[in-house]
Amino acid sequence: MILYGQFSQTFFVNGRDLNQGLVTKLKREAYMMEKDYQSTYIECADECRKTGNSKDGIAKMYDLLYRLQQADRTKDQDLILVNVYTFLGYHQSAYDLAKLCLELVDRKNIAKLYTLESKAKSHQNNFIIKDLRKLRQRNTPITLHPVDFVVSAIDENHISIKKDIVVFNKIVEAERVKVFIYAICKPEDYIDRINDYLFWMADCQKELILFYNQEFAEGRPQKADTDWYDTLEVFGLKIIIGDNGRLYAEVASGDEYMTDHILDVEMQEREILAMQYDG
């Protein structure tokens, strides 16, 4: 389809003038599509505000996001996508797109771009409202092999890994995982126990929810539930094999309740020892 925004440049195809009736039809279709996107955004934003970002409202906003991302958009539709990005907290994406589609001869647009730039610098895409439908999909734990461990040339106790892993049902990039071995052993001596440990941490939903609600029974109005668990982020993992041969883990995570804090989780074997906000 030839987009409405292209009409001023494209009036012929294969050397022949477009039929004026076809031009009018395409203009009408583009206008109706744009009007549909705009009205849908207004309806979704209104529903989210009235319901405190209900699951249904956020799901509808994400449906609009996916439609716009896949569409062959005009500049006006780009601006609608900027609004959707901003609403959901994708501030870096909103700013990057706005730079391409905002006409800076208008003072209002200059002011809007400045606001978007400020948000992008301070928040990037780090504090988004998440699409729970995708986060509820279960990730399969990753099995590590001896070749996946690399001993540091600087600290022989520090081991890095080559594979991404799964923690709290989130994919964690290999560079965010550290393994420290203080017991007298080689990594392959503990490979089965480490894999078993990672398999448990891959989806320890019940244990985390229970511990959170016990640890923060007083002083916090929100209770952890499956939505809380599904929206957790994992920023890093440290696994320690102590000189006593026991396995310990420290997980740096983040949740929806304290978006500007790190939620540190400390474990010994399969027991959660501590959970606290830092920052």
Side-chain angles (χ1 to χ4, degrees):
M1 175 185 289
I2 297 175
L3 295 176
Y4 177 48
Q6 297 172 323
F7 286 146
S8 59
Q9 291 82 24
T10 308
F11 284 98
F12 57 91
V13 173
N14 296 330
R16 292 183 297 177
D17 291 343
L18 284 173
N19 179 277
Q20 186 59 43
L22 177 58
V23 173
T24 302
K25 178 182 179 182
L26 292 175
K27 283 184 178 180
R28 187 187 308 114
E29 288 178 355
Y31 171 76
M32 293 305 295
M33 185 178 295
E34 185 174 306
K35 186 177 180 182
D36 173 58
Y37 287 140
Q38 182 66 28
S39 62
T40 300
Y41 169 72
I42 293 172
E43 290 171 4
C44 289
D46 188 54
E47 179 177 347
C48 288
R49 292 188 183 101
K50 287 181 178 179
T51 61
N53 289 341
S54 67
K55 296 177 190 177
D56 288 343
I58 294 302
K60 291 175 184 176
M61 187 67 80
Y62 263 101
D63 287 341
L64 176 60
L65 171 69
Y66 302 143
R67 284 175 57 199
L68 283 165
Q69 286 177 329
Q70 294 172 8
D72 195 359
R73 299 183 304 273
T74 65
K75 281 192 175 182
D76 286 337
Q77 291 164 358
D78 277 342
L79 290 174
I80 297 171
L81 181 54
V82 168
N83 291 335
V84 175
Y85 277 142
T86 301
F87 188 94
L88 292 172
Y90 291 91
H91 296 293
Q92 187 65 55
S93 298
Y95 173 62
D96 290 342
L97 182 57
K99 286 190 297 184
L100 301 176
C101 63
L102 278 177
E103 299 290 342
L104 296 184
V105 294
D106 188 325
R107 289 186 178 180
K108 290 183 179 180
N109 287 346
I110 295 174
K112 180 174 183 177
L113 191 63
Y114 176 78
T115 300
L116 292 172
E117 182 182 19
S118 299
K119 276 288 188 179
K121 287 180 178 178
S122 61
H123 289 68
Q124 298 182 321
N125 287 342
N126 293 333
F127 306 105
I128 63 170
I129 300 172
K130 301 177 180 68
D131 186 351
L132 280 171
R133 297 168 299 180
K134 288 192 172 183
L135 295 174
R136 289 203 170 99
Q137 299 171 5
R138 306 335 278 173
N139 290 306
T140 303
I142 307 298
T143 300
L144 298 177
H145 303 282
V147 294
D148 297 320
F149 292 82
V150 180
V151 179
S152 169
I154 300 175
D155 181 0
E156 62 181 8
N157 293 322
H158 177 204
I159 312 295
S160 60
I161 65 171
K162 297 180 180 179
K163 284 184 181 177
D164 297 347
I165 62 171
V166 178
V167 178
F168 303 168
N169 196 43
K170 309 300 184 300
I171 302 294
V172 181
E173 298 172 347
E175 56 264 29
R176 296 178 178 269
V177 181
K178 298 178 181 179
V179 179
F180 293 91
I181 300 180
Y182 298 106
I184 302 175
C185 66
K186 298 178 180 178
E188 52 265 34
D189 297 334
Y190 271 78
I191 190 67
D192 290 339
R193 289 187 62 193
I194 290 175
N195 275 324
D196 185 56
Y197 203 23
L198 289 174
F199 189 89
W200 176 73
M201 278 192 286
D203 204 7
C204 52
Q205 179 188 93
K206 293 181 180 178
E207 293 87 345
L208 279 175
I209 291 175
L210 178 62
F211 191 92
Y212 183 96
N213 288 332
Q214 291 175 342
E215 184 74 5
F216 301 107
E218 298 180 5
R220 295 210 55 79
Q222 305 100 327
K223 294 291 184 182
D225 54 17
T226 55
D227 288 351
W228 172 84
Y229 176 79
D230 288 334
T231 54
L232 282 175
E233 294 184 77
V234 177
F235 305 120
L237 166 67
K238 182 189 296 183
I239 295 178
I240 300 169
I241 302 173
D243 54 12
N244 59 1
R246 296 183 68 83
L247 291 176
Y248 302 88
E250 298 174 5
V251 183
S253 63
D255 70 2
E256 296 272 88
Y257 297 158
M258 297 280 282
T259 55
D260 55 347
H261 288 65
I262 300 295
L263 180 62
D264 291 318
V265 182
E266 298 178 13
M267 307 174 189
Q268 175 182 287
E269 298 290 341
R270 295 193 177 197
E271 179 185 4
I272 300 175
L273 297 179
M275 188 181 290
Q276 61 184 5
Y277 287 104
D278 182 22

